[in-house]
Every structure is written in C-alpha cells, then in structure tokens.
Amino acid sequence: ENMKVKLWMDMGNGHGHGSAPVVVSPLDELNHFYVQKAYFVMRGQWQVLVTFTEAGEAQKIIIPLDINE
C-alpha cells in the first residue's frame, strides 16, 4: 500500500535533480503497478526510488537506470 515512485539523479554532492511527479496506478492483484509520465530531463545515471508500506512496515527499493538518449 502507499506505493510511490520518484525519479532522482544523485549528483554525489548532497544535491541532485528530480523530475515531474509520475502517476502510479495498480495494474492487477499481483502487486504490479503501471507508472506513467516518467520523464528524464537529462542523460546520465538516474535512480527509480520506490517506497511503499508492507505489513505496516515502510519499505524502499532503489533501481539504478542509465539514460543515454
């Protein structure tokens, strides 16, 4: 529950770049979600930060993503 997705580019100096908020919608009952309006404003190493609550406990997943075009 409370699934949130944030796109973030860590600049390594305590600062970074984000993007416009994405839209997250449940896709099915198997905990699959559909993420829309994911825009990467520049090339480089991005992180897809996924936060959610499972069994009352906060969880966080960081997915590295390299944008080349």
Side-chain angles (χ1 to χ4, degrees):
E1 41 185 88
N2 302 320
M3 171 71 71
K4 294 181 184 175
V5 175
K6 179 180 176 182
L7 306 179
W8 183 252
M9 177 183 260
D10 187 356
M11 301 306 288
N13 58 1
H15 300 285
H17 294 284
S19 73
V22 300
V23 176
V24 180
S25 307
L27 190 59
D28 58 30
E29 294 180 10
L30 300 173
N31 291 328
H32 294 135
F33 291 84
Y34 185 61
V35 178
Q36 299 176 71
K37 299 189 179 185
Y39 301 109
F40 299 94
V41 296
M42 65 178 58
R43 295 177 186 184
Q45 293 289 323
W46 284 81
Q47 297 175 341
V48 179
L49 307 172
V50 181
T51 57
F52 57 96
T53 304
E54 181 180 1
E57 210 172 302
Q59 304 291 327
K60 183 177 184 179
I61 299 172
I62 300 174
I63 305 165
L65 187 62
D66 188 22
I67 301 298
N68 290 314
E69 295 184 28

